[in-house]
Amino acid sequence: FPVTIQSPMFVRFSNQEDINTFTESATNTAGGQRLTDGSEIVSAIRSRGQILIFTDTALHGMQYVGPPYTFGFQQLGANCGCVAAHAAADVNGVAFWMGPEAFYVFDGTVKKLACTVQDYVFKDLNLTQKDKFHVGVNSQFNEVTWWYCSANANYIDRFVTYNYLKNVWSTGTLSRTACCAYRDWE
């Protein structure tokens, strides 16, 4: 795609020496890559040794490889898209995210999380409000919590928490229209 056309699947990175230069040339390290699986990039998080890029249908990894390509890209999973921009989090190099129909984990391999409350959560979602969904990490209690809108709500009114050490799920209600999001509550 030419620079004047913006593709929702295109990752662009700046020159290492000038973060304002995104135009590729023979004398800089700026560049870009169009990802292949999905219709739009939804989210990205920093993880162990790479940036994880979530599309609406897949997971890709972006890793520094040095000159002449600067970054390498690899599809890490399919049929595992992220539901919203703030619905993915990294915990010590392990990524957790909410898809439109399931929860996922990436620890070197993409896996669908076994979820005892999956029907409760995913059969009662308002996906038209998915941009409001978000995640928080509470490492003191080994938990990842997602806040979301139930089917008849236009604002956050529910949460689901996963304890990744005990492999235990819990749900609750919590109405809110705004919050201060922290990656870790410690």
Side-chain angles (χ1 to χ4, degrees):
F1 287 95
V3 175
T4 58
I5 298 173
Q6 185 172 357
S7 166
M9 289 292 290
F10 196 76
V11 176
R12 189 174 302 281
F13 49 90
S14 71
N15 179 26
Q16 289 176 299
E17 302 299 322
D18 179 5
I19 62 170
N20 296 311
T21 300
F22 285 86
T23 303
E24 299 177 46
S25 78
T27 59
N28 72 27
T29 58
Q33 174 75 36
R34 187 179 190 293
L35 303 180
T36 57
D37 190 344
S39 60
E40 68 176 333
I41 295 171
V42 174
S43 186
I45 59 172
R46 185 176 59 200
S47 192
R48 185 182 319 149
Q50 64 185 327
I51 303 293
L52 298 177
I53 304 169
F54 302 88
T55 70
D56 55 339
T57 62
L59 175 65
H60 294 79
M62 175 179 166
Q63 203 167 28
Y64 179 76
V65 295
Y69 301 109
T70 311
F71 288 100
F73 294 82
Q74 177 182 10
Q75 185 168 341
L76 303 172
N79 301 314
C80 61
C82 189
V83 72
H86 302 290
D90 183 87
V91 180
N92 300 322
V94 177
F96 296 90
W97 70 97
M98 180 183 205
E101 298 173 353
F103 294 101
Y104 298 92
V105 62
F106 177 74
D107 60 1
T109 305
V110 173
K111 299 177 198 91
K112 186 176 175 182
L113 283 171
C115 179
T116 57
V117 296
Q118 182 165 330
D119 285 347
Y120 175 81
V121 173
F122 291 99
K123 288 188 177 182
D124 193 23
L125 280 182
N126 184 348
L127 289 175
T128 62
Q129 298 296 327
K130 66 185 179 182
D131 290 338
K132 296 175 182 170
F133 297 9
H134 59 279
V135 66
V137 175
N138 185 341
S139 60
Q140 183 177 0
F141 294 101
N142 308 305
E143 294 176 340
V144 179
T145 299
W146 290 269
W147 290 273
Y148 65 96
C149 303
S150 63
N152 296 316
N154 289 322
Y155 297 98
I156 300 296
D157 66 339
R158 297 229 178 123
F159 68 87
V160 58
T161 298
Y162 177 62
N163 183 304
Y164 48 85
L165 284 188
K166 295 179 181 178
N167 195 28
V168 174
W169 292 88
S170 60
T171 62
T173 59
L174 179 64
S175 294
R176 60 173 53 189
T177 58
C179 80
C180 182
Y182 290 89
R183 291 216 24 95
D184 198 325
W185 299 332
E186 290 186 325

